[in-house]
Amino acid sequence: LKPSSSGEAGPRASVPQRRACARRAAMGAAASGDKKAAGAEGPAEEEEEEEVPTGVQWDEATHKAKLPVDEVFTVETLKDWDGEQLPMFLGICGVVVDVSSSNNFSPGHGYGKLWAGKDATLAMAHCSLKADTVNKFDFTVEGLEQMQLDALAGWYSHFTHKYPIRGKLKEFDGWDFSKVVEKAKDIAPPKFAGSS
């Protein structure tokens, strides 16, 4: 995901940036860490990786009992699932997924710093890495542009195929994400090195 100078590849980004975001989201390449597949130019460079802490990992015996009643989260109850107190969860399109097994999500770092214990629906639609696009509910699915719907469907497909769904987000009760969910069905789940 390559943000514009404003920090996002959403509506204020150039058309090529938004198309690239939607294309990467649909392919799942941005989340794979594969720079070539994600559209980086030139040869892949070896980068020295800093040691980032791993968060709390899901343990069925320990954590299942800590899920909210009927597995319905609120923004308030979701925030505890930040990878530090409890395993790392995030919300997308009204579902809550457990990303605690991912190396791409570490508490206080990168995506974990931005999306841990929060709803990322609008951020995913806008391909935004800006904090002001998380936990936002002042938009409508119908109001999203086609490229935003495509990006959101790609990310929804990625997160719901790769990670366990642990519940729903109450703030999206009554919202209709069927357009996104249907579009996501046409998107093949991403394949990553070592996966079958």
Side-chain angles (χ1 to χ4, degrees), residues 58 66-68 71-99 112 114-121 134-137 164-172:
W58 176 265
K66 295 182 180 188
L67 291 172
E71 298 176 354
V72 177
F73 291 82
T74 64
V75 170
E76 191 63 30
T77 59
L78 182 59
K79 73 180 183 181
D80 293 336
W81 298 82
D82 61 1
E84 293 177 10
Q85 303 171 68
L86 293 165
M88 190 178 298
F89 291 3
L90 66 83
I92 183 167
C93 298
V95 298
V96 175
V97 294
D98 174 354
V99 296
L114 185 60
W115 296 325
K118 299 174 185 156
D119 179 73
T121 303
V134 298
N135 285 343
K136 294 295 262 187
F137 305 98
I165 296 173
R166 301 289 184 205
K168 295 182 177 185
L169 192 60
K170 183 173 180 52
E171 282 79 0
F172 282 122

Side-chain angles (χ1 to χ4, degrees), residues 133-148:
T133 58
V134 298
N135 285 343
K136 294 295 262 187
F137 305 98
D138 59 351
F139 69 98
T140 64
V141 177
E142 298 77 25
L144 296 175
E145 296 176 13
Q146 188 59 50
M147 281 189 278
Q148 293 167 338

Side-chain angles (χ1 to χ4, degrees), residues 104-124:
N104 292 324
F105 289 88
S106 295
H109 297 274
Y111 300 132
K113 182 177 182 179
L114 185 60
W115 296 325
K118 299 174 185 156
D119 179 73
T121 303
L122 188 61
M124 298 293 177

Side-chain angles (χ1 to χ4, degrees), residues 5-27:
S5 60
S6 68
E8 69 177 73
R12 291 179 292 259
S14 70
V15 171
Q17 285 174 318
R18 293 189 331 208
R19 284 187 183 133
C21 172
R23 200 170 40 252
R24 286 189 299 261
M27 296 183 328

